[in-house]
Amino acid sequence: MLLPMDIEEHQTPVRIRPVRDEDRQAVLALAPRLAEGVAAWRDPGAATDAARRWLTDSITAAQDRRGAVFVADGGPPAGGVVGVVSVNRQQHFTGVTDAYVGELAVDPRAVRGGVGRMLMAAAEDWARRQGLRHLTLETGAANTTARQFYAALGYHEEGVRLTRSLEPEGTAS
Ligand SMILES: CC(C)(COP(=O)(O)OP(=O)(O)OC[C@H]1O[C@@H](n2cnc3c(N)ncnc32)[C@H](O)[C@@H]1OP(=O)(O)O)[C@@H](O)C(=O)NCCC(=O)NCCS
């Protein structure tokens, strides 16, 4: 799939396309982005490690046609992969199968240029082609950028995960 779009007149057009094996390193380089907005009481290093595993598993799932991974290719500053989204199928507890976005990340040098919106459009398009009726995802409560982004794209909060610290002087309340 090619969705050519000029994100700015002087910049290389960004194209959304399915991930290729040779993208693996560039995609994994975006993993630290997925640790942003993680709760203050979590280990950001462990979150980045988890993000690398999720991205690796998502690429494998896409190769096995159990899901899809799309990359944004050709953006600033020097071309190459500037964003990634993974999407697969997930059963909701009501029994309905939803589409589920596992990871979405845009290179900090390419934000606010429409890349995230284009990646989500590709994930939504994949989900529609699968015959699915809802696309769901999770993000950190502290990730205000992502929450504003998803709200701008029409996503509604469906569940809230709560945490209480069990430490005497805990910070998670
Ligand atoms: C969230 C993220 C994917 C957004 O990507 P992006 O390419 O900058 O988003 P877009 O340029 O397509 O923005 C689309 C709209 O979302 C909203 N938006 C995006 N970033 C925003 C911000 N920092 N503050 C307020 N609104 C924002 C705006 O309405 C924007 O439209 P506009 O630029 O015309 O005003 C990117 O910031 C990112 O990779 N963050 C780190 C990883 C992450 O949090 N992933 C998602 C959670 S798993």
Side-chain angles (χ1 to χ4, degrees):
M1 179 201 326
L2 290 180
L3 300 174
M5 185 184 289
D6 286 324
I7 64 170
E8 272 189 34
E9 272 176 32
H10 62 280
Q11 292 172 340
T12 321
V14 170
R15 285 180 162 73
I16 307 299
R17 60 165 175 79
V19 71
R20 300 179 193 135
D21 214 36
E22 60 265 30
D23 299 323
R24 193 173 286 262
Q25 219 178 334
V27 166
L28 293 181
L30 293 168
R33 291 288 275 152
L34 295 165
E36 289 177 24
V38 76
W41 54 90
R42 301 293 181 187
D43 175 355
T48 301
D49 290 346
R52 280 198 197 91
R53 288 196 298 275
W54 295 333
L55 288 165
T56 301
D57 290 350
S58 293
I59 292 171
T60 302
Q63 288 169 339
D64 296 345
R65 298 185 178 275
R66 288 180 285 112
V69 174
F70 299 102
V71 294
D73 187 357
V81 170
V82 292
V84 63
V85 66
S86 76
V87 58
N88 60 21
R89 302 163 72 94
Q90 190 179 79
Q91 196 171 27
H92 188 258
F93 66 79
T94 55
V96 171
T97 300
D98 293 333
Y100 180 79
V101 162
E103 300 87 42
L104 169 72
V106 173
D107 186 309
R109 294 166 294 188
V111 292
R112 297 310 292 267
V115 174
R117 196 187 285 273
M118 290 164 68
L119 286 164
M120 287 302 293
E124 290 166 12
D125 186 48
W126 179 88
R128 282 195 193 92
R129 283 186 279 114
Q130 300 290 309
L132 305 176
R133 296 188 56 215
H134 293 101
L135 194 157
T136 68
L137 56 90
E138 292 160 67
T139 194
N143 195 346
T144 48
T145 298
R147 292 177 69 177
Q148 287 175 301
F149 167 79
Y150 289 124
L153 268 61
Y155 286 77
H156 300 281
E157 294 187 4
E158 181 176 343
V160 179
R161 180 188 177 101
L162 303 178
T163 304
R164 184 191 193 283
S165 172
L166 301 178
E167 303 291 329
E169 300 292 324
T171 51
S173 53

